[in-house]
Amino acid sequence: MPGMTDTTGAAAFRAAIESGDLDAAVALFRDDVEFLSPVVHRPYRGREELHQILTAAFATFEDFRYTHEYGGPDGHVLEFEARVGDRGVQGVDILRDGEGGLSRLTVMVRPYSAATLLRERMAALLSG
């Protein structure tokens, strides 16, 4: 729910992403954070990889905005909308709380055509 009280790092993560402060966003996660990508099978691990991925995502998504927020005792879901090129994207950031900071970020996106374009653009940024 927009404006819900957040006792975890989700509100701080959302604020950091909305303000473009990737360093602050990444600092909210534990050193051994696990990132689960919408387009890559293997999990990414660690703050350095997470920072690289978020940097590429910032360069790829246009008009990114969070639209809804849902919370529970061990995590939060932040729903978002954006564009990748001419494709509209809907997705969620699933944040898992852990002792010592956020422990996992899982991203899911739809539709498939936008996810495919996202994969192509992110791969070019991350390999270059």
Side-chain angles (χ1 to χ4, degrees):
M1 293 180 215
M4 73 188 300
T5 302
D6 182 9
T7 58
T8 69
F13 176 80
R14 179 177 180 164
I17 293 296
E18 290 176 335
S19 69
D21 190 346
L22 297 181
D23 291 337
V26 172
L28 296 166
F29 289 87
R30 296 184 340 190
D31 290 338
D32 64 345
V33 58
E34 180 178 61
F35 174 78
L36 299 172
S37 165
V39 294
V40 177
H41 175 70
R42 78 164 179 87
Y44 293 91
R45 298 192 194 283
R47 285 183 181 165
E48 185 176 322
E49 286 197 359
L50 178 61
H51 197 285
Q52 291 173 352
I53 291 162
L54 290 178
T55 299
F58 258 70
T60 304
F61 283 124
E62 299 173 55
D63 301 326
F64 182 92
R65 65 203 169 282
Y66 286 115
T67 58
H68 296 88
E69 184 174 326
Y70 312 93
D74 62 353
H76 278 73
V77 177
L78 302 173
E79 187 176 346
F80 64 84
E81 293 179 359
R83 282 185 310 106
V84 177
D86 64 350
R87 306 271 165 76
V89 177
Q90 293 174 303
V92 292
D93 290 340
I94 304 169
L95 299 163
R96 180 70 47 93
D97 294 329
E99 193 169 318
L102 296 169
S103 62
R104 183 187 303 158
L105 171 59
T106 302
V107 177
M108 296 184 189
V109 297
R110 67 157 305 277
Y112 179 76
S113 62
T116 301
L117 187 57
L118 175 66
R119 179 186 52 79
E120 291 169 1
R121 292 190 177 185
M122 294 272 299
L125 290 170
L126 292 170
S127 67

